[in-house]
Amino acid sequence: MGKPVCPTTSEPARISVELKRALEFYHGTVEDLIRELIRVLGVNETDRRALEIVLLEDEKSTTPGRLAEKLGLTAAGVTIMLNRLEKQGYIARTLHPTDRRRVIVVATELAAHRIQELVVPMIVESYKMLLSYYDTSELEIIADFLTRAGELQRIHRQRLRDVDPYSRP
């Protein structure tokens, strides 16, 4: 016999609870995966995110200002971070080809190779698995959900950036 249904629990409420649990599980596993990637690459979280930003750009390059904006860092903070990444051989700084006053940050072959070696096989495996579980229309809904959830995260991040840090007790 099936599980008794609580008459006061509505279907949307049940789905909401399931979605909350699934998102918490997913978020935790992503954090665990990133923590291991950080360990293997020998970087911290901010440096990893900066590498991700640079590697995901169309030209595999960006500017220190763009990194500062995306990471919520000061110009000095970005400089310190870029010094660390440059020392590890993950990025290089060059002058902009047409505006010699601007600096361009590019990922090195070493960074691209290590990310290719570590991350790409996981992405390929994930896509193959998801494509075997879901049809095209379901994947479109999942992609839409993830895009909207990401947009909400950006909104929440901006709200937090506008909040002063708590004072120490």
Side-chain angles (χ1 to χ4, degrees):
M1 189 178 243
K3 191 173 165 182
V5 177
C6 177
T8 58
T9 303
S10 67
E11 186 67 4
R14 182 191 64 76
I15 292 170
S16 177
V17 168
E18 282 185 31
L19 185 59
K20 179 182 180 293
R21 284 186 187 138
L23 284 170
E24 287 169 351
F25 171 72
Y26 177 74
H27 183 72
T29 59
V30 167
E31 283 185 351
D32 292 344
L33 181 65
I34 288 172
R35 197 170 21 261
E36 288 306 310
L37 184 60
I38 286 167
R39 180 187 64 77
V40 173
L41 290 172
V43 297
N44 64 37
E45 168 55 17
T46 302
D47 296 0
R48 182 214 56 88
R49 181 70 178 116
L51 276 174
E52 179 181 38
I53 291 166
V54 173
L55 286 165
L56 289 176
E57 291 291 323
D58 289 335
E59 290 89 35
K60 305 282 186 249
S61 68
T62 191
T63 64
R66 186 164 169 89
L67 285 171
E69 177 187 325
K70 285 192 166 199
L71 296 170
L73 297 175
T74 63
V78 167
T79 299
I80 292 167
M81 177 194 66
L82 292 176
N83 288 343
R84 280 192 309 266
L85 288 171
E86 198 167 42
K87 185 176 180 181
Q88 289 179 282
Y90 288 141
I91 62 105
R93 288 177 269 200
T94 62
L95 294 177
H96 190 279
T98 58
D99 183 353
R100 308 298 279 170
R101 297 167 297 172
R102 292 181 56 206
V103 172
I104 300 294
V105 178
V106 296
T108 63
E109 286 297 318
L110 175 67
H113 172 76
R114 288 186 177 172
I115 295 300
Q116 176 81 18
E117 179 180 76
L118 294 168
V119 177
V120 171
M122 290 186 279
I123 292 170
V124 169
E125 180 183 4
S126 298
Y127 284 149
K128 283 181 181 177
M129 187 181 292
L130 289 172
L131 289 171
S132 72
Y133 290 151
Y134 302 102
D135 65 32
T136 303
S137 63
E138 290 170 322
L139 288 169
E140 287 174 348
I141 291 169
I142 292 168
D144 179 66
F145 171 81
L146 291 173
T147 300
R148 290 172 190 253
E151 289 168 354
L152 286 170
Q153 296 294 69
R154 283 186 179 158
I155 291 167
H156 297 321
R157 179 194 67 200
Q158 189 55 50
R159 283 186 188 141
L160 286 173
R161 282 188 178 169
D162 294 339
V163 174
D164 290 331
Y166 290 127
S167 60
R168 295 185 179 171

